[in-house]
Each structure stands twice: as structure tokens, then as C-alpha cells.
Amino acid sequence: GAGVSQTPSNKVTEKGKYVELRCDPISGHTALYWYRQSLGQGPEFLIYFQGTGAADDSGLPNDRFFAVRPEGSVSTLKIQRTERGDSAVYLCASSSGPGEKLFFGSGTQLSVL
Amino acid sequence: DQQVKQNSPSLSVQEGRISILNCDYTNSMFDYFLWYKKYPAEGPTFLISISSIKDKNEDGRFTVFLNKSAKHLSLHIVPSQPGDSAVYFCAASEQGGGADGLTFGKGTHLIIQP
């Protein structure tokens, strides 16, 4: 499709496990963003990539969270030693460059039991 | 500390009437403001934006007003239609028009009643 694709759409895991969430941005979009939306809250910024490099990772809550974008296209958000408080919808967005409109994917609903 | 506040969790409006969604912010460095609309199980979609050098931006049925001195913006939808029922998020940026690291409010659930 032409939009931002996120997989899986739902992920259920146990406390302490490792998870990877994938984002496939719109083709040609150089900027990629990860957000987290907890129940009853707005999306919360996590990290921003311009090309392959993380231009701003100030929103990552702690060192259990890590994201990569090795070829400047697909990105993976990695969460180690998951905790129940990590349960949320993880949203990915892309844009054609800094300052351009963001296009969001449908998100991955992560549930940590 | 919420830098972008949407104090109404929900709003119910009759079809055909005007819907007014409000948003307040505390960070005086914000210079670009956006509204996003979100349906269940979908990601937010961009609706309309405004730069701090303007006080109004209009796009069809949607108008955003910005009052910088009051640090307040509002989204007007007129006339409201059933398809407008969704959660609306106000977002702000201090990057001079950049979308880096948008700060979102908690959202307002707009319900359009037939």
C-alpha cells in the first residue's frame, strides 16, 4: 500500500520478554518518527530519524528502549525486559522531510501481561 | 507537566451545527500548531495547521484560530457532519514549522448527533 505500515497490529507478551515492532514508512520519506500512546493520553514522542541516524531520541523513556533504521527506510523499535507499564499503542509516522506533514500508521497495540 | 492541554475529554454536537474544539498551551516557544483527527484502530490523520505568524487558517469546513497572547487555539467545524465523529488531537512544535517531536494534547472525543 501507499501508507505507513506497522507490524504486528497487536502484540501480547509476558513481563520481562523482548519485543520488536516494525515500521515501513511511505516510500521516499526520509523522516521517520515513533510515538507511544497510552490509554486516555495523546501520542507521546519517542524518537525521530532523519535518514539512517537518530536525530532526536530524547523521548525514549529509558535504556530498555532502542530503535534502528539501518538503511534509511524500515525502522524497528526494540523493547527489552518489557514491563506492564510499556503497554500502549506504538505509532510510527513518516514525512518527506523535517517540517513536512506527518503520515501515521495504524499502530501496534502492545500488551504486556 | 502537560504543555498542550485539551480540557474537554468529549464534546457532543448536533449535525449541522458548529463544533468548537479548544486547546491551550504553556510553552511560549511553540510556533507551529496542528490538529489531527483519529478514528478507532487507525493512526491520526493530519487535518489543518497554523503558524504562529497567523491568527487564522481556513480549509473548507475547518478553521483554526490562534490567540498567541492567550496561548489558546481552537478548531471550528461548520457545518458538523456525522463523519466528523472522531478523537481530535491538538499538537504543537517549537521547530519553526518543523514536525520534529510534536507535543500532543490528550484529545477531545467529538460526537456528532443526527
Side-chain angles (χ1 to χ4, degrees), chain A residues 33 35 37 40-45 48 91 98-106, chain B residues 2 32 36 38 41-46 89 97-102 104-107:
Chain A
Y33 308 77
Y35 285 81
Q37 186 177 8
Q41 305 293 318
E44 173 194 15
F45 170 75
Y48 155 58
L91 293 163
E100 300 299 323
K101 188 168 68 178
L102 294 186
F103 293 85
F104 281 86
S106 297
Chain B
Q2 280 265 301
Y32 192 62
Y36 279 82
K38 186 180 184 302
E42 294 184 10
T45 55
F46 171 78
F89 290 102
D100 311 357
L102 288 176
F104 284 83
K106 291 186 177 184

PDB file of all heavy atoms in Angstrom, chain A residues 33 35 37 40-45 48 91 98-106, chain B residues 2 32 36 38 41-46 89 97-102 104-107:
ATOM      1  N   TYR A  33       9.320   8.778  12.553  1.00  0.00           N
ATOM      2  CA  TYR A  33       9.087   9.095  13.960  1.00  0.00           C
ATOM      3  C   TYR A  33       8.399   7.914  14.645  1.00  0.00           C
ATOM      4  O   TYR A  33       7.554   7.246  14.051  1.00  0.00           O
ATOM      5  CB  TYR A  33       8.150  10.296  14.099  1.00  0.00           C
ATOM      6  CG  TYR A  33       8.557  11.524  13.319  1.00  0.00           C
ATOM      7  CD1 TYR A  33       8.353  11.604  11.948  1.00  0.00           C
ATOM      8  CD2 TYR A  33       9.145  12.610  13.960  1.00  0.00           C
ATOM      9  CE1 TYR A  33       8.723  12.730  11.226  1.00  0.00           C
ATOM     10  CE2 TYR A  33       9.515  13.741  13.246  1.00  0.00           C
ATOM     11  CZ  TYR A  33       9.301  13.792  11.887  1.00  0.00           C
ATOM     12  OH  TYR A  33       9.670  14.907  11.181  1.00  0.00           O
ATOM     13  N   TYR A  35       6.071   7.228  18.121  1.00  0.00           N
ATOM     14  CA  TYR A  35       5.305   7.806  19.217  1.00  0.00           C
ATOM     15  C   TYR A  35       4.690   6.658  20.016  1.00  0.00           C
ATOM     16  O   TYR A  35       4.483   5.562  19.494  1.00  0.00           O
ATOM     17  CB  TYR A  35       4.168   8.704  18.710  1.00  0.00           C
ATOM     18  CG  TYR A  35       4.608  10.048  18.186  1.00  0.00           C
ATOM     19  CD1 TYR A  35       5.111  10.185  16.905  1.00  0.00           C
ATOM     20  CD2 TYR A  35       4.522  11.180  18.987  1.00  0.00           C
ATOM     21  CE1 TYR A  35       5.520  11.420  16.425  1.00  0.00           C
ATOM     22  CE2 TYR A  35       4.931  12.429  18.516  1.00  0.00           C
ATOM     23  CZ  TYR A  35       5.424  12.531  17.237  1.00  0.00           C
ATOM     24  OH  TYR A  35       5.830  13.753  16.765  1.00  0.00           O
ATOM     25  N   GLN A  37       1.257   5.927  22.517  1.00  0.00           N
ATOM     26  CA  GLN A  37       0.003   6.467  23.022  1.00  0.00           C
ATOM     27  C   GLN A  37      -0.564   5.537  24.089  1.00  0.00           C
ATOM     28  O   GLN A  37      -0.993   4.417  23.767  1.00  0.00           O
ATOM     29  CB  GLN A  37      -1.021   6.670  21.901  1.00  0.00           C
ATOM     30  CG  GLN A  37      -2.290   7.363  22.376  1.00  0.00           C
ATOM     31  CD  GLN A  37      -3.275   7.623  21.276  1.00  0.00           C
ATOM     32  OE1 GLN A  37      -3.116   7.178  20.138  1.00  0.00           O
ATOM     33  NE2 GLN A  37      -4.326   8.359  21.590  1.00  0.00           N
ATOM     34  N   GLY A  40      -6.059   6.944  27.108  1.00  0.00           N
ATOM     35  CA  GLY A  40      -6.533   8.228  27.603  1.00  0.00           C
ATOM     36  C   GLY A  40      -5.557   9.371  27.426  1.00  0.00           C
ATOM     37  O   GLY A  40      -5.802  10.479  27.905  1.00  0.00           O
ATOM     38  N   GLN A  41      -4.451   9.108  26.753  1.00  0.00           N
ATOM     39  CA  GLN A  41      -3.440  10.145  26.536  1.00  0.00           C
ATOM     40  C   GLN A  41      -3.275  10.422  25.054  1.00  0.00           C
ATOM     41  O   GLN A  41      -3.720   9.651  24.204  1.00  0.00           O
ATOM     42  CB  GLN A  41      -2.093   9.691  27.109  1.00  0.00           C
ATOM     43  CG  GLN A  41      -2.134   9.297  28.574  1.00  0.00           C
ATOM     44  CD  GLN A  41      -2.416  10.483  29.462  1.00  0.00           C
ATOM     45  OE1 GLN A  41      -1.883  11.572  29.259  1.00  0.00           O
ATOM     46  NE2 GLN A  41      -3.281  10.293  30.445  1.00  0.00           N
ATOM     47  N   GLY A  42      -2.600  11.525  24.759  1.00  0.00           N
ATOM     48  CA  GLY A  42      -2.236  11.793  23.380  1.00  0.00           C
ATOM     49  C   GLY A  42      -0.936  11.094  23.034  1.00  0.00           C
ATOM     50  O   GLY A  42      -0.242  10.587  23.916  1.00  0.00           O
ATOM     51  N   PRO A  43      -0.599  11.027  21.749  1.00  0.00           N
ATOM     52  CA  PRO A  43       0.678  10.422  21.364  1.00  0.00           C
ATOM     53  C   PRO A  43       1.853  11.158  22.016  1.00  0.00           C
ATOM     54  O   PRO A  43       1.864  12.381  22.090  1.00  0.00           O
ATOM     55  CB  PRO A  43       0.693  10.593  19.843  1.00  0.00           C
ATOM     56  CG  PRO A  43      -0.748  10.703  19.452  1.00  0.00           C
ATOM     57  CD  PRO A  43      -1.395  11.433  20.590  1.00  0.00           C
ATOM     58  N   GLU A  44       2.824  10.383  22.466  1.00  0.00           N
ATOM     59  CA  GLU A  44       3.994  10.925  23.153  1.00  0.00           C
ATOM     60  C   GLU A  44       5.223  10.623  22.303  1.00  0.00           C
ATOM     61  O   GLU A  44       5.490   9.466  21.962  1.00  0.00           O
ATOM     62  CB  GLU A  44       4.092  10.262  24.526  1.00  0.00           C
ATOM     63  CG  GLU A  44       5.326  10.578  25.329  1.00  0.00           C
ATOM     64  CD  GLU A  44       5.497   9.637  26.510  1.00  0.00           C
ATOM     65  OE1 GLU A  44       4.823   8.588  26.537  1.00  0.00           O
ATOM     66  OE2 GLU A  44       6.311   9.936  27.385  1.00  0.00           O
ATOM     67  N   PHE A  45       5.988  11.642  21.960  1.00  0.00           N
ATOM     68  CA  PHE A  45       7.154  11.492  21.096  1.00  0.00           C
ATOM     69  C   PHE A  45       8.213  10.596  21.735  1.00  0.00           C
ATOM     70  O   PHE A  45       8.538  10.726  22.919  1.00  0.00           O
ATOM     71  CB  PHE A  45       7.752  12.873  20.819  1.00  0.00           C
ATOM     72  CG  PHE A  45       9.088  12.856  20.141  1.00  0.00           C
ATOM     73  CD1 PHE A  45       9.189  12.568  18.782  1.00  0.00           C
ATOM     74  CD2 PHE A  45      10.255  13.115  20.842  1.00  0.00           C
ATOM     75  CE1 PHE A  45      10.425  12.549  18.149  1.00  0.00           C
ATOM     76  CE2 PHE A  45      11.493  13.109  20.222  1.00  0.00           C
ATOM     77  CZ  PHE A  45      11.571  12.817  18.868  1.00  0.00           C
ATOM     78  N   TYR A  48      13.102  10.313  16.615  1.00  0.00           N
ATOM     79  CA  TYR A  48      12.976  10.817  15.255  1.00  0.00           C
ATOM     80  C   TYR A  48      14.244  10.469  14.485  1.00  0.00           C
ATOM     81  O   TYR A  48      15.359  10.699  14.967  1.00  0.00           O
ATOM     82  CB  TYR A  48      12.761  12.334  15.314  1.00  0.00           C
ATOM     83  CG  TYR A  48      13.170  13.134  14.103  1.00  0.00           C
ATOM     84  CD1 TYR A  48      12.625  12.870  12.853  1.00  0.00           C
ATOM     85  CD2 TYR A  48      14.093  14.178  14.210  1.00  0.00           C
ATOM     86  CE1 TYR A  48      12.992  13.622  11.746  1.00  0.00           C
ATOM     87  CE2 TYR A  48      14.456  14.930  13.110  1.00  0.00           C
ATOM     88  CZ  TYR A  48      13.903  14.646  11.877  1.00  0.00           C
ATOM     89  OH  TYR A  48      14.258  15.399  10.779  1.00  0.00           O
ATOM     90  N   LEU A  91       2.934   4.122  17.767  1.00  0.00           N
ATOM     91  CA  LEU A  91       2.621   4.699  16.457  1.00  0.00           C
ATOM     92  C   LEU A  91       3.906   5.095  15.736  1.00  0.00           C
ATOM     93  O   LEU A  91       4.826   5.641  16.335  1.00  0.00           O
ATOM     94  CB  LEU A  91       1.764   5.957  16.622  1.00  0.00           C
ATOM     95  CG  LEU A  91       0.347   5.764  17.159  1.00  0.00           C
ATOM     96  CD1 LEU A  91      -0.215   7.083  17.660  1.00  0.00           C
ATOM     97  CD2 LEU A  91      -0.549   5.192  16.071  1.00  0.00           C
ATOM     98  N   PRO A  98      12.037  17.128   7.338  1.00  0.00           N
ATOM     99  CA  PRO A  98      11.727  17.922   8.536  1.00  0.00           C
ATOM    100  C   PRO A  98      10.803  19.066   8.175  1.00  0.00           C
ATOM    101  O   PRO A  98      10.987  19.732   7.169  1.00  0.00           O
ATOM    102  CB  PRO A  98      13.104  18.441   8.969  1.00  0.00           C
ATOM    103  CG  PRO A  98      14.094  17.570   8.304  1.00  0.00           C
ATOM    104  CD  PRO A  98      13.468  17.090   7.035  1.00  0.00           C
ATOM    105  N   GLY A  99       9.787  19.266   8.998  1.00  0.00           N
ATOM    106  CA  GLY A  99       8.863  20.359   8.766  1.00  0.00           C
ATOM    107  C   GLY A  99       7.711  20.014   7.859  1.00  0.00           C
ATOM    108  O   GLY A  99       6.812  20.825   7.666  1.00  0.00           O
ATOM    109  N   GLU A 100       7.728  18.817   7.290  1.00  0.00           N
ATOM    110  CA  GLU A 100       6.633  18.405   6.418  1.00  0.00           C
ATOM    111  C   GLU A 100       5.581  17.620   7.204  1.00  0.00           C
ATOM    112  O   GLU A 100       5.840  17.113   8.287  1.00  0.00           O
ATOM    113  CB  GLU A 100       7.160  17.563   5.253  1.00  0.00           C
ATOM    114  CG  GLU A 100       8.164  18.273   4.366  1.00  0.00           C
ATOM    115  CD  GLU A 100       7.585  19.513   3.714  1.00  0.00           C
ATOM    116  OE1 GLU A 100       6.395  19.489   3.344  1.00  0.00           O
ATOM    117  OE2 GLU A 100       8.320  20.526   3.601  1.00  0.00           O
ATOM    118  N   LYS A 101       4.404  17.500   6.610  1.00  0.00           N
ATOM    119  CA  LYS A 101       3.288  16.841   7.271  1.00  0.00           C
ATOM    120  C   LYS A 101       3.607  15.395   7.622  1.00  0.00           C
ATOM    121  O   LYS A 101       4.221  14.677   6.838  1.00  0.00           O
ATOM    122  CB  LYS A 101       2.096  16.909   6.321  1.00  0.00           C
ATOM    123  CG  LYS A 101       0.788  16.448   6.917  1.00  0.00           C
ATOM    124  CD  LYS A 101      -0.377  16.830   6.017  1.00  0.00           C
ATOM    125  CE  LYS A 101      -0.374  16.081   4.717  1.00  0.00           C
ATOM    126  NZ  LYS A 101      -1.536  16.426   3.873  1.00  0.00           N
ATOM    127  N   LEU A 102       3.167  14.963   8.811  1.00  0.00           N
ATOM    128  CA  LEU A 102       3.364  13.585   9.251  1.00  0.00           C
ATOM    129  C   LEU A 102       2.224  12.699   8.780  1.00  0.00           C
ATOM    130  O   LEU A 102       1.061  13.078   8.874  1.00  0.00           O
ATOM    131  CB  LEU A 102       3.418  13.510  10.777  1.00  0.00           C
ATOM    132  CG  LEU A 102       4.572  14.173  11.507  1.00  0.00           C
ATOM    133  CD1 LEU A 102       4.506  13.841  12.982  1.00  0.00           C
ATOM    134  CD2 LEU A 102       5.899  13.733  10.934  1.00  0.00           C
ATOM    135  N   PHE A 103       2.576  11.514   8.318  1.00  0.00           N
ATOM    136  CA  PHE A 103       1.596  10.488   7.983  1.00  0.00           C
ATOM    137  C   PHE A 103       1.809   9.333   8.964  1.00  0.00           C
ATOM    138  O   PHE A 103       2.906   8.779   9.038  1.00  0.00           O
ATOM    139  CB  PHE A 103       1.785  10.005   6.543  1.00  0.00           C
ATOM    140  CG  PHE A 103       1.463  11.047   5.510  1.00  0.00           C
ATOM    141  CD1 PHE A 103       2.422  11.978   5.135  1.00  0.00           C
ATOM    142  CD2 PHE A 103       0.215  11.101   4.920  1.00  0.00           C
ATOM    143  CE1 PHE A 103       2.138  12.956   4.185  1.00  0.00           C
ATOM    144  CE2 PHE A 103      -0.078  12.070   3.964  1.00  0.00           C
ATOM    145  CZ  PHE A 103       0.882  12.994   3.603  1.00  0.00           C
ATOM    146  N   PHE A 104       0.737   8.978   9.690  1.00  0.00           N
ATOM    147  CA  PHE A 104       0.836   7.953  10.722  1.00  0.00           C
ATOM    148  C   PHE A 104       0.391   6.593  10.203  1.00  0.00           C
ATOM    149  O   PHE A 104      -0.514   6.497   9.364  1.00  0.00           O
ATOM    150  CB  PHE A 104      -0.042   8.317  11.928  1.00  0.00           C
ATOM    151  CG  PHE A 104       0.556   9.339  12.844  1.00  0.00           C
ATOM    152  CD1 PHE A 104       0.393  10.694  12.591  1.00  0.00           C
ATOM    153  CD2 PHE A 104       1.283   8.954  13.966  1.00  0.00           C
ATOM    154  CE1 PHE A 104       0.936  11.649  13.448  1.00  0.00           C
ATOM    155  CE2 PHE A 104       1.827   9.899  14.816  1.00  0.00           C
ATOM    156  CZ  PHE A 104       1.661  11.244  14.559  1.00  0.00           C
ATOM    157  N   GLY A 105       0.980   5.549  10.754  1.00  0.00           N
ATOM    158  CA  GLY A 105       0.478   4.202  10.574  1.00  0.00           C
ATOM    159  C   GLY A 105      -0.648   3.940  11.568  1.00  0.00           C
ATOM    160  O   GLY A 105      -0.981   4.799  12.387  1.00  0.00           O
ATOM    161  N   SER A 106      -1.219   2.738  11.496  1.00  0.00           N
ATOM    162  CA  SER A 106      -2.334   2.389  12.372  1.00  0.00           C
ATOM    163  C   SER A 106      -1.885   1.983  13.769  1.00  0.00           C
ATOM    164  O   SER A 106      -2.711   1.817  14.663  1.00  0.00           O
ATOM    165  CB  SER A 106      -3.158   1.251  11.765  1.00  0.00           C
ATOM    166  OG  SER A 106      -3.724   1.670  10.542  1.00  0.00           O
TER     167      SER A 106
ATOM    168  N   GLN B   2       1.740  18.882  31.495  1.00  0.00           N
ATOM    169  CA  GLN B   2       1.173  18.939  30.155  1.00  0.00           C
ATOM    170  C   GLN B   2       1.445  20.299  29.524  1.00  0.00           C
ATOM    171  O   GLN B   2       0.983  21.326  30.026  1.00  0.00           O
ATOM    172  CB  GLN B   2      -0.343  18.715  30.246  1.00  0.00           C
ATOM    173  CG  GLN B   2      -0.730  17.254  30.394  1.00  0.00           C
ATOM    174  CD  GLN B   2      -1.066  16.634  29.054  1.00  0.00           C
ATOM    175  OE1 GLN B   2      -1.949  17.092  28.372  1.00  0.00           O
ATOM    176  NE2 GLN B   2      -0.343  15.590  28.689  1.00  0.00           N
ATOM    177  N   TYR B  32       4.289  26.487  15.908  1.00  0.00           N
ATOM    178  CA  TYR B  32       3.553  25.815  14.841  1.00  0.00           C
ATOM    179  C   TYR B  32       2.575  24.866  15.498  1.00  0.00           C
ATOM    180  O   TYR B  32       2.951  24.102  16.405  1.00  0.00           O
ATOM    181  CB  TYR B  32       4.526  25.054  13.939  1.00  0.00           C
ATOM    182  CG  TYR B  32       3.947  24.541  12.645  1.00  0.00           C
ATOM    183  CD1 TYR B  32       3.436  25.426  11.703  1.00  0.00           C
ATOM    184  CD2 TYR B  32       3.931  23.187  12.344  1.00  0.00           C
ATOM    185  CE1 TYR B  32       2.918  24.972  10.505  1.00  0.00           C
ATOM    186  CE2 TYR B  32       3.414  22.717  11.146  1.00  0.00           C
ATOM    187  CZ  TYR B  32       2.906  23.614  10.230  1.00  0.00           C
ATOM    188  OH  TYR B  32       2.400  23.176   9.044  1.00  0.00           O
ATOM    189  N   TYR B  36      -4.995  16.997  14.499  1.00  0.00           N
ATOM    190  CA  TYR B  36      -5.075  15.670  13.913  1.00  0.00           C
ATOM    191  C   TYR B  36      -6.403  15.052  14.330  1.00  0.00           C
ATOM    192  O   TYR B  36      -6.928  15.300  15.411  1.00  0.00           O
ATOM    193  CB  TYR B  36      -3.928  14.774  14.401  1.00  0.00           C
ATOM    194  CG  TYR B  36      -2.627  14.992  13.684  1.00  0.00           C
ATOM    195  CD1 TYR B  36      -1.774  16.041  14.039  1.00  0.00           C
ATOM    196  CD2 TYR B  36      -2.225  14.153  12.651  1.00  0.00           C
ATOM    197  CE1 TYR B  36      -0.582  16.248  13.378  1.00  0.00           C
ATOM    198  CE2 TYR B  36      -1.021  14.350  11.994  1.00  0.00           C
ATOM    199  CZ  TYR B  36      -0.215  15.388  12.355  1.00  0.00           C
ATOM    200  OH  TYR B  36       0.970  15.589  11.695  1.00  0.00           O
ATOM    201  N   LYS B  38      -8.511  11.308  14.666  1.00  0.00           N
ATOM    202  CA  LYS B  38      -8.221   9.881  14.788  1.00  0.00           C
ATOM    203  C   LYS B  38      -9.518   9.080  14.939  1.00  0.00           C
ATOM    204  O   LYS B  38     -10.311   9.321  15.850  1.00  0.00           O
ATOM    205  CB  LYS B  38      -7.316   9.634  15.993  1.00  0.00           C
ATOM    206  CG  LYS B  38      -6.857   8.182  16.112  1.00  0.00           C
ATOM    207  CD  LYS B  38      -5.977   7.980  17.320  1.00  0.00           C
ATOM    208  CE  LYS B  38      -5.437   6.559  17.374  1.00  0.00           C
ATOM    209  NZ  LYS B  38      -6.497   5.536  17.402  1.00  0.00           N
ATOM    210  N   ALA B  41      -8.797   2.406  15.931  1.00  0.00           N
ATOM    211  CA  ALA B  41      -7.951   1.429  15.257  1.00  0.00           C
ATOM    212  C   ALA B  41      -7.232   1.996  14.021  1.00  0.00           C
ATOM    213  O   ALA B  41      -6.744   1.238  13.184  1.00  0.00           O
ATOM    214  CB  ALA B  41      -8.740   0.185  14.855  1.00  0.00           C
ATOM    215  N   GLU B  42      -7.180   3.309  13.929  1.00  0.00           N
ATOM    216  CA  GLU B  42      -6.413   3.928  12.849  1.00  0.00           C
ATOM    217  C   GLU B  42      -5.430   4.923  13.451  1.00  0.00           C
ATOM    218  O   GLU B  42      -5.601   5.376  14.586  1.00  0.00           O
ATOM    219  CB  GLU B  42      -7.328   4.670  11.874  1.00  0.00           C
ATOM    220  CG  GLU B  42      -8.267   3.769  11.093  1.00  0.00           C
ATOM    221  CD  GLU B  42      -9.092   4.539  10.062  1.00  0.00           C
ATOM    222  OE1 GLU B  42      -8.783   5.730   9.829  1.00  0.00           O
ATOM    223  OE2 GLU B  42     -10.042   3.950   9.532  1.00  0.00           O
ATOM    224  N   GLY B  43      -4.398   5.264  12.680  1.00  0.00           N
ATOM    225  CA  GLY B  43      -3.486   6.298  13.148  1.00  0.00           C
ATOM    226  C   GLY B  43      -4.089   7.671  12.962  1.00  0.00           C
ATOM    227  O   GLY B  43      -5.027   7.853  12.197  1.00  0.00           O
ATOM    228  N   PRO B  44      -3.554   8.680  13.662  1.00  0.00           N
ATOM    229  CA  PRO B  44      -4.034  10.055  13.474  1.00  0.00           C
ATOM    230  C   PRO B  44      -3.785  10.526  12.042  1.00  0.00           C
ATOM    231  O   PRO B  44      -2.771  10.174  11.435  1.00  0.00           O
ATOM    232  CB  PRO B  44      -3.183  10.867  14.466  1.00  0.00           C
ATOM    233  CG  PRO B  44      -2.632   9.877  15.434  1.00  0.00           C
ATOM    234  CD  PRO B  44      -2.471   8.604  14.679  1.00  0.00           C
ATOM    235  N   THR B  45      -4.708  11.305  11.525  1.00  0.00           N
ATOM    236  CA  THR B  45      -4.523  11.904  10.199  1.00  0.00           C
ATOM    237  C   THR B  45      -4.527  13.426  10.330  1.00  0.00           C
ATOM    238  O   THR B  45      -5.315  13.999  11.087  1.00  0.00           O
ATOM    239  CB  THR B  45      -5.617  11.473   9.206  1.00  0.00           C
ATOM    240  OG1 THR B  45      -6.888  11.784   9.770  1.00  0.00           O
ATOM    241  CG2 THR B  45      -5.547   9.998   8.916  1.00  0.00           C
ATOM    242  N   PHE B  46      -3.636  14.047   9.591  1.00  0.00           N
ATOM    243  CA  PHE B  46      -3.490  15.498   9.628  1.00  0.00           C
ATOM    244  C   PHE B  46      -4.754  16.175   9.116  1.00  0.00           C
ATOM    245  O   PHE B  46      -5.336  15.767   8.110  1.00  0.00           O
ATOM    246  CB  PHE B  46      -2.292  15.910   8.768  1.00  0.00           C
ATOM    247  CG  PHE B  46      -2.173  17.390   8.573  1.00  0.00           C
ATOM    248  CD1 PHE B  46      -1.653  18.192   9.562  1.00  0.00           C
ATOM    249  CD2 PHE B  46      -2.609  17.977   7.385  1.00  0.00           C
ATOM    250  CE1 PHE B  46      -1.551  19.560   9.377  1.00  0.00           C
ATOM    251  CE2 PHE B  46      -2.510  19.337   7.190  1.00  0.00           C
ATOM    252  CZ  PHE B  46      -1.981  20.132   8.187  1.00  0.00           C
ATOM    253  N   PHE B  89      -6.909  15.620  18.130  1.00  0.00           N
ATOM    254  CA  PHE B  89      -5.727  15.963  18.912  1.00  0.00           C
ATOM    255  C   PHE B  89      -5.165  17.294  18.441  1.00  0.00           C
ATOM    256  O   PHE B  89      -4.989  17.525  17.241  1.00  0.00           O
ATOM    257  CB  PHE B  89      -4.638  14.891  18.752  1.00  0.00           C
ATOM    258  CG  PHE B  89      -4.967  13.584  19.402  1.00  0.00           C
ATOM    259  CD1 PHE B  89      -5.414  12.511  18.638  1.00  0.00           C
ATOM    260  CD2 PHE B  89      -4.820  13.413  20.768  1.00  0.00           C
ATOM    261  CE1 PHE B  89      -5.716  11.304  19.236  1.00  0.00           C
ATOM    262  CE2 PHE B  89      -5.118  12.203  21.373  1.00  0.00           C
ATOM    263  CZ  PHE B  89      -5.569  11.143  20.604  1.00  0.00           C
ATOM    264  N   GLY B  97       8.046  25.494  12.372  1.00  0.00           N
ATOM    265  CA  GLY B  97       7.308  24.859  11.291  1.00  0.00           C
ATOM    266  C   GLY B  97       7.681  23.394  11.131  1.00  0.00           C
ATOM    267  O   GLY B  97       7.074  22.680  10.364  1.00  0.00           O
ATOM    268  N   GLY B  98       8.655  22.934  11.873  1.00  0.00           N
ATOM    269  CA  GLY B  98       9.076  21.554  11.773  1.00  0.00           C
ATOM    270  C   GLY B  98       8.124  20.621  12.488  1.00  0.00           C
ATOM    271  O   GLY B  98       7.438  21.014  13.408  1.00  0.00           O
ATOM    272  N   ALA B  99       8.077  19.386  12.039  1.00  0.00           N
ATOM    273  CA  ALA B  99       7.196  18.405  12.676  1.00  0.00           C
ATOM    274  C   ALA B  99       7.981  17.534  13.640  1.00  0.00           C
ATOM    275  O   ALA B  99       7.462  16.584  14.149  1.00  0.00           O
ATOM    276  CB  ALA B  99       6.533  17.534  11.621  1.00  0.00           C
ATOM    277  N   ASP B 100       9.236  17.865  13.896  1.00  0.00           N
ATOM    278  CA  ASP B 100      10.023  17.075  14.813  1.00  0.00           C
ATOM    279  C   ASP B 100       9.419  17.126  16.200  1.00  0.00           C
ATOM    280  O   ASP B 100       9.115  18.200  16.712  1.00  0.00           O
ATOM    281  CB  ASP B 100      11.460  17.647  14.908  1.00  0.00           C
ATOM    282  CG  ASP B 100      12.078  17.905  13.564  1.00  0.00           C
ATOM    283  OD1 ASP B 100      11.450  17.604  12.551  1.00  0.00           O
ATOM    284  OD2 ASP B 100      13.201  18.422  13.551  1.00  0.00           O
ATOM    285  N   GLY B 101       9.293  15.940  16.812  1.00  0.00           N
ATOM    286  CA  GLY B 101       8.908  15.904  18.205  1.00  0.00           C
ATOM    287  C   GLY B 101       7.670  16.702  18.543  1.00  0.00           C
ATOM    288  O   GLY B 101       7.677  17.490  19.486  1.00  0.00           O
ATOM    289  N   LEU B 102       6.584  16.494  17.828  1.00  0.00           N
ATOM    290  CA  LEU B 102       5.328  17.162  18.144  1.00  0.00           C
ATOM    291  C   LEU B 102       4.891  16.813  19.559  1.00  0.00           C
ATOM    292  O   LEU B 102       5.028  15.681  19.998  1.00  0.00           O
ATOM    293  CB  LEU B 102       4.227  16.730  17.174  1.00  0.00           C
ATOM    294  CG  LEU B 102       4.291  17.240  15.738  1.00  0.00           C
ATOM    295  CD1 LEU B 102       3.168  16.622  14.921  1.00  0.00           C
ATOM    296  CD2 LEU B 102       4.197  18.746  15.699  1.00  0.00           C
ATOM    297  N   PHE B 104       1.612  16.530  21.821  1.00  0.00           N
ATOM    298  CA  PHE B 104       0.174  16.376  21.638  1.00  0.00           C
ATOM    299  C   PHE B 104      -0.590  16.618  22.932  1.00  0.00           C
ATOM    300  O   PHE B 104      -0.091  16.352  24.023  1.00  0.00           O
ATOM    301  CB  PHE B 104      -0.152  14.945  21.175  1.00  0.00           C
ATOM    302  CG  PHE B 104       0.150  14.664  19.735  1.00  0.00           C
ATOM    303  CD1 PHE B 104       1.428  14.313  19.334  1.00  0.00           C
ATOM    304  CD2 PHE B 104      -0.856  14.726  18.772  1.00  0.00           C
ATOM    305  CE1 PHE B 104       1.711  14.032  18.003  1.00  0.00           C
ATOM    306  CE2 PHE B 104      -0.584  14.446  17.443  1.00  0.00           C
ATOM    307  CZ  PHE B 104       0.704  14.101  17.061  1.00  0.00           C
ATOM    308  N   GLY B 105      -1.844  17.071  22.795  1.00  0.00           N
ATOM    309  CA  GLY B 105      -2.774  17.074  23.905  1.00  0.00           C
ATOM    310  C   GLY B 105      -3.381  15.690  24.064  1.00  0.00           C
ATOM    311  O   GLY B 105      -3.073  14.771  23.306  1.00  0.00           O
ATOM    312  N   LYS B 106      -4.261  15.558  25.066  1.00  0.00           N
ATOM    313  CA  LYS B 106      -4.856  14.255  25.351  1.00  0.00           C
ATOM    314  C   LYS B 106      -6.001  13.916  24.416  1.00  0.00           C
ATOM    315  O   LYS B 106      -6.469  12.784  24.396  1.00  0.00           O
ATOM    316  CB  LYS B 106      -5.373  14.206  26.789  1.00  0.00           C
ATOM    317  CG  LYS B 106      -4.283  14.221  27.836  1.00  0.00           C
ATOM    318  CD  LYS B 106      -4.867  14.031  29.227  1.00  0.00           C
ATOM    319  CE  LYS B 106      -3.761  13.981  30.256  1.00  0.00           C
ATOM    320  NZ  LYS B 106      -4.282  13.712  31.612  1.00  0.00           N
ATOM    321  N   GLY B 107      -6.477  14.898  23.670  1.00  0.00           N
ATOM    322  CA  GLY B 107      -7.542  14.637  22.705  1.00  0.00           C
ATOM    323  C   GLY B 107      -8.928  14.987  23.229  1.00  0.00           C
ATOM    324  O   GLY B 107      -9.175  14.986  24.440  1.00  0.00           O
TER     325      GLY B 107
END
